[in-house]
Amino acid sequence: MHPKSTVIFATLAAIVLYLVVDISLFHANMPFSVALGENLGARAVVVGLLVFLGGIAFFLLSKDQEEVITPQKEASLHEAIVGIIFSPAPLHVRLEKSLQMVAKALKLEQLVIMQYQSESLKRLYQLNETHPIAQTLMLLDQAPHSPLEKEVLNFHEKKEVSHTLLLHPSGHAVHFALLKAEHLLKPSGILSAVFQKGTTPSLKESEALKFLAQNIAFALSVAQKKEAILRASEQQVDQQLDEDPRFNIFTNFKLRQIILYEMKRNQRHKTDLSLLLFGIDHFANLQGMLSQKKALEIQKELVALIKASLRNTDVFGVWDENIFAIVLPDIPFQSANALSQKLALLISKKRFEGVGKITCSFGITTFMSPEDTIESFRRRAESALEKAHKEGGDKTEIKLLVSTNHDTR
């Protein structure tokens, strides 16, 4: 029950209780109608006093609610928000503390942060009495379950900067603010605050919520950038390893170093150098049918089979997600083509656990001119493999610098 309603109810109850006690104790022998008319002056004084006390309590509550945020309190609240958002604590801890502090200062019943993800809204954090901090599913991927969710979707579709509305049928005032920092071109989500029933947010309260939304947007953007930098750093470290830990063969980074070395040797001594790329046909479909772990196991089986069939001088490694490479020093494209046929036959006889038979496609090129570069060398081999895959798989394509293309199978 709202505090103002409680005061009114308590005042009326006190008056009724006083009259009942007075009549039952001092006028019990009289008829009720007669007893009610006795001592009207004294009773009027007591009832007036009770009404006066109730009025004072009502006034104090009204004054307290009207002055939730003074300029001094607003400045203090802003300072506290900044201190929390820029603290070294984890992001979820900072968000939780800032939401709790603002919800307490503004006497909110609910405070929700929702974050855009592509065209959807994800409820990032929710703060209320029953669910202090909760993560939920995409709102736009399911029907909204509450009036607040419906109003959030309406606000999202209208693309308004901020507004206040009545949340029917409950009658709660709700304030929306976009999560948009000054350095961001687009908002990253929505902050919605549900006020106590019967209260309307003041200008200072709206400004405080807007300030909170701006700082949350900034904190989220910084966290996302840190995560992206961390992922890029980890990926760069992985790429610069000599050996892929999944397959125990060379990484793409190491293969490129070896190709550059062999290119220089080719230019000095006119040696041959071929590159053979291969990948499992329709691997994306295979990943869709199997678990990621099972698909990786099939790749490992294939790598072990190929590795046991190569010469000591052949350089075997990972080229891309589903592409493997064999760098063939001192081997012309004709011999590389013969190797691809040998490997294709070997793969056709193998039964892989869980899927049975698989096929692979091969793309081959040879370093033939001083004008050739590692990039043109790479592009030709990748283009040859792509063509073999597109033509149904289980094929070998050869592409040379002079644009001689032929299918050898």
Side-chain angles (χ1 to χ4, degrees):
M1 184 181 294
H2 195 275
K4 290 183 180 179
S5 301
T6 302
V7 170
I8 294 173
F9 178 80
T11 302
L12 292 175
I15 293 172
V16 171
L17 181 62
Y18 160 70
L19 292 175
V20 170
V21 171
D22 180 63
I23 291 172
S24 62
L25 289 179
F26 301 105
H27 306 285
N29 297 325
M30 298 181 183
F32 180 77
S33 58
V34 176
L36 191 63
E38 292 291 323
N39 299 327
L40 288 179
R43 288 175 182 169
V45 171
V46 174
V47 170
L49 181 61
L50 291 174
V51 171
F52 176 74
L53 293 175
I56 291 176
F58 190 89
F59 173 77
L60 292 176
L61 281 173
S62 301
K63 185 177 180 181
D64 181 59
Q65 289 182 354
E66 289 172 359
E67 298 179 357
V68 170
I69 291 192
T70 63
Q72 293 78 12
K73 287 183 179 179
E74 183 183 14
S76 177
L77 184 61
H78 286 190
E79 184 179 352
I81 291 173
V82 171
I84 292 173
I85 291 296
F86 288 92
S87 72
L91 177 63
H92 71 278
V93 174
R94 287 181 280 154
L95 289 178
E96 181 177 356
K97 285 185 176 180
S98 60
L99 292 180
Q100 288 176 342
M101 179 188 62
V102 172
K104 183 178 180 181
L106 304 187
K107 299 183 179 179
L108 301 176
E109 290 200 357
Q110 192 176 20
L111 188 57
V112 180
I113 303 173
M114 299 182 185
Q115 193 173 24
Y116 293 136
Q117 292 195 347
S118 299
E119 295 301 318
S120 298
L121 279 172
K122 179 180 180 181
R123 180 175 294 176
L124 185 61
Y125 289 106
Q126 175 174 306
L127 178 65
N128 58 25
E129 292 181 359
T130 55
H131 303 285
I133 295 292
Q135 290 189 359
T136 63
L137 300 175
M138 299 285 186
L139 281 180
L140 297 188
D141 292 345
Q142 58 183 350
H145 297 296
S146 69
L148 176 61
E149 290 180 355
K150 293 177 183 178
E151 296 297 347
V152 168
L153 293 185
N154 290 336
F155 175 73
H156 167 61
E157 292 169 359
K158 292 176 183 177
K159 306 291 185 184
E160 298 183 45
V161 176
S162 64
H163 68 178
T164 303
L165 54 87
L166 288 179
L167 182 59
H168 296 291
S170 64
H172 291 274
V174 181
H175 183 279
F176 291 112
L178 289 174
L179 300 181
K180 187 177 184 305
E182 292 182 358
H183 69 289
L184 299 177
L185 296 177
K186 296 181 179 180
S188 56
I190 300 173
L191 179 143
S192 55
V194 182
F195 285 78
Q196 292 180 350
K197 188 175 181 179
T199 61
T200 303
S202 65
L203 178 61
K204 288 184 174 62
E205 290 169 337
S206 297
E207 288 298 320
L209 289 171
K210 183 180 178 182
F211 185 79
L212 174 65
Q214 290 173 342
N215 281 275
I216 288 175
F218 181 83
L220 289 174
S221 67
V222 170
Q224 289 167 351
K225 287 180 180 178
K226 284 184 177 179
E227 187 178 347
I229 292 171
L230 181 60
R231 283 199 305 267
S233 299
E234 290 175 347
Q235 189 176 23
Q236 187 176 14
V237 170
D238 290 342
Q239 289 174 347
Q240 292 181 357
L241 292 174
D242 287 346
E243 191 172 274
D244 190 300
R246 298 170 299 172
F247 307 109
N248 296 321
I249 56 178
F250 286 130
T251 61
N252 180 277
F253 178 76
K254 184 63 176 179
L255 289 177
R256 285 172 176 263
Q257 289 181 325
I258 293 171
I259 291 172
L260 283 172
Y261 171 80
E262 293 296 337
M263 281 183 170
K264 292 176 182 178
R265 195 166 73 91
N266 169 279
Q267 293 170 349
R268 289 195 305 269
H269 305 293
K270 306 303 178 185
T271 57
D272 290 307
L273 174 63
S274 293
L275 175 62
L276 187 156
L277 302 182
F278 70 94
I280 299 173
D281 293 320
H282 314 297
F283 187 67
N285 295 337
L286 198 64
Q287 286 179 308
M289 294 186 296
L290 305 172
S291 66
Q292 185 175 359
K293 181 179 179 181
K294 185 60 183 176
L296 180 60
E297 290 299 323
I298 292 172
Q299 287 182 310
K300 288 181 177 180
E301 284 188 68
L302 175 64
V303 166
L305 180 68
I306 301 299
K307 193 174 182 180
S309 307
L310 299 178
R311 307 176 304 166
N312 291 334
T313 54
D314 299 334
V315 182
F316 188 26
V318 178
W319 194 256
D320 206 343
E321 183 179 359
N322 180 41
I323 302 177
F324 299 94
I326 305 173
V327 180
L328 300 166
D330 304 321
I331 295 292
F333 71 87
Q334 296 91 339
S335 298
N337 178 44
L339 175 62
S340 73
Q341 293 183 14
K342 171 188 171 184
L343 296 178
L345 180 62
L346 195 65
I347 294 168
S348 69
K349 294 179 180 180
K350 170 76 173 176
R351 293 298 179 266
F352 293 82
E353 185 179 351
V355 294
K357 182 180 177 180
I358 66 170
T359 61
C360 289
S361 291
F362 298 83
I364 296 172
T365 193
T366 296
F367 187 73
M368 300 180 68
S369 167
E371 299 176 357
D372 210 358
T373 66
I374 187 171
E375 288 304 313
S376 59
F377 189 57
R378 172 190 64 80
R379 283 196 299 268
R380 285 199 307 276
E382 289 177 348
S383 177
L385 177 60
E386 183 180 2
K387 184 178 179 183
H389 277 309
K390 285 183 177 179
E391 293 187 359
D394 198 20
K395 296 176 70 68
T396 296
E397 285 288 335
I398 301 174
K399 286 199 173 187
L400 304 178
L401 186 61
V402 290
S403 301
T404 302
N405 304 331
H406 60 277
D407 186 359
T408 60
R409 298 176 63 198

